[in-house]
Amino acid sequence: MRILGLDPGLGTTGWGLIEADGNRLRHIANGQLKTDSSAELPRRLAHLADQLDALVGDQKPDTTAVEEVFVNKNPQSTLKLAQARGAVLAACGRASLPVAEHAARLVKKAVVGTGGAEKAQVQAMLKVLLPGVAIAGADAADALAVAIADAHLGGGR
Amino acid sequence: MRILGLDPGLGTTGWGLIEADGNRLRHIANGQLKTDSSAELPRRLAHLADQLDALVGDQKPDTTAVEEVFVNKNPQSTLKLAQARGAVLAACGRASLPVAEHAARLVKKAVVGTGGAEKAQVQAMLKVLLPGVAIAGADAADALAVAIADAHLGGGR
């Protein structure tokens, strides 16, 4: 089962692909999709969807996973994030990929063992769980974490 | 110039297409795109994007317009709206359509003459400005209003 974790964002969307075979996990690839902050919103969202389509075409995941959305106290940040998330989820839906949503606490718990773990702890555990992994950035790390959590939690499969 | 006004929403996205020739406006068509509330979010967003692609393919607008987003006091409502908006704007971007954003006050002012107009006044004025129009519903009315506003305001053209 190839699981694509996604951490949607307008400027940077992290992605991390793992192969899960029962309890055994293997890292395949991870990266970050970027959009040009000087471009207009519809172009940025379209570019994000285009990049995701290309990624799905290249990497052929069986399923995808995202964190449940964090509603930011800043409504403008929530708005940007949610619009990016809408473009990403629509692209997954159009590719007929299931999307599991996992609460941030459960993602941390699945990776580190505690729902209150810090980001640094999560990244350290990623290197233990996925030996040899080179992580493209903080958003790619979050995406790998949600992919691992999905492997553990089953994503409703 | 064929202007497609859009009022994005997850359950119902209103659309209204007008032809603007200088100050003369003509109604072409309007309607409402629906998604199945029992389906999962990615499927609903994908269905919305698919319907919008079909509409754009059929109606061949030159440009599109939306209201600037209203940040609801209910974060969950804002989130649903913004995700639908992200899927809609990404579809417009992928179709290489410009998207103008107009403040709700300016839309009302352009249609009724006052930024504080009620919805009923807006709908009454739509029937004056677009003789013979049959409006598919409240969301289609909002979409026609933003299309008319865009014709008046120029959408940066």
Side-chain angles (χ1 to χ4, degrees):
Chain A
M1 167 79 70
R2 291 163 77 89
I3 303 172
L4 179 63
L6 292 164
D7 180 30
L10 184 58
T12 306
T13 289
W15 63 273
L17 184 68
I18 63 171
E19 170 86 37
D21 179 11
N23 281 333
R24 293 180 53 193
L25 303 180
R26 186 170 65 86
H27 173 254
I28 301 175
N30 72 90
Q32 302 194 144
L33 311 178
K34 304 262 187 185
T35 68
D36 175 359
S37 61
S38 71
E40 292 192 356
L41 178 63
R43 294 302 317 155
R44 297 181 77 181
L45 294 170
H47 188 211
L48 182 52
D50 285 344
Q51 290 177 84
L52 190 65
D53 280 359
L55 175 64
V56 164
D58 286 347
Q59 300 286 358
K60 301 189 172 41
D62 298 302
T63 191
T64 70
V66 294
E67 272 193 15
E68 279 177 9
V69 83
F70 171 73
V71 178
N72 201 295
K73 289 201 182 93
N74 177 338
Q76 290 304 321
S77 300
T78 300
L79 185 61
K80 274 170 65 173
L81 169 64
Q83 290 181 124
R85 196 175 197 268
V88 164
L89 295 185
C92 290
R94 296 176 102 174
S96 299
L97 284 169
V99 182
E101 296 194 55
H102 300 297
R105 282 199 81 261
L106 292 184
V107 171
K108 288 178 179 170
K109 194 164 194 311
V111 175
V112 181
T114 164
E118 300 291 331
K119 275 189 181 289
Q121 288 175 279
V122 172
Q123 295 201 24
M125 273 307 291
L126 289 177
K127 290 174 185 165
V128 175
L129 294 169
L130 305 171
V133 68
I135 300 174
D139 298 296
D142 287 345
L144 284 168
V146 75
I148 291 170
D150 191 64
H152 290 175
L153 298 169
R157 288 180 297 275
Chain B
M1 167 80 68
R2 290 164 76 89
I3 303 172
L4 178 64
L6 292 165
D7 180 29
L10 183 58
T12 306
T13 289
W15 63 273
L17 184 69
I18 63 170
E19 172 85 37
D21 179 9
N23 280 334
R24 292 180 52 193
L25 303 180
R26 186 170 65 86
H27 173 255
I28 302 176
N30 73 90
Q32 303 194 145
L33 312 177
K34 304 262 187 186
T35 68
D36 176 0
S37 62
S38 70
E40 293 192 354
L41 177 63
R43 294 303 315 156
R44 296 181 77 180
L45 295 169
H47 187 210
L48 182 52
D50 285 344
Q51 289 178 84
L52 190 65
D53 280 0
L55 175 64
V56 164
D58 285 347
Q59 299 285 359
K60 300 189 174 39
D62 299 303
T63 191
T64 70
V66 294
E67 273 193 16
E68 279 177 11
V69 82
F70 171 73
V71 178
N72 201 294
K73 288 200 182 92
N74 178 339
Q76 290 303 321
S77 300
T78 300
L79 184 61
K80 273 170 66 173
L81 169 64
Q83 290 181 122
R85 196 174 196 267
V88 164
L89 295 185
C92 291
R94 297 177 100 173
S96 299
L97 285 169
V99 183
E101 296 194 54
H102 300 297
R105 281 199 80 261
L106 294 183
V107 171
K108 288 177 179 170
K109 193 163 194 313
V111 175
V112 181
T114 164
E118 300 290 331
K119 276 190 180 287
Q121 289 175 277
V122 172
Q123 294 201 24
M125 273 308 290
L126 289 177
K127 290 175 186 167
V128 175
L129 294 168
L130 304 172
V133 69
I135 301 175
D139 298 296
D142 287 345
L144 283 168
V146 75
I148 290 170
D150 190 64
H152 291 175
L153 298 168
R157 290 181 296 274

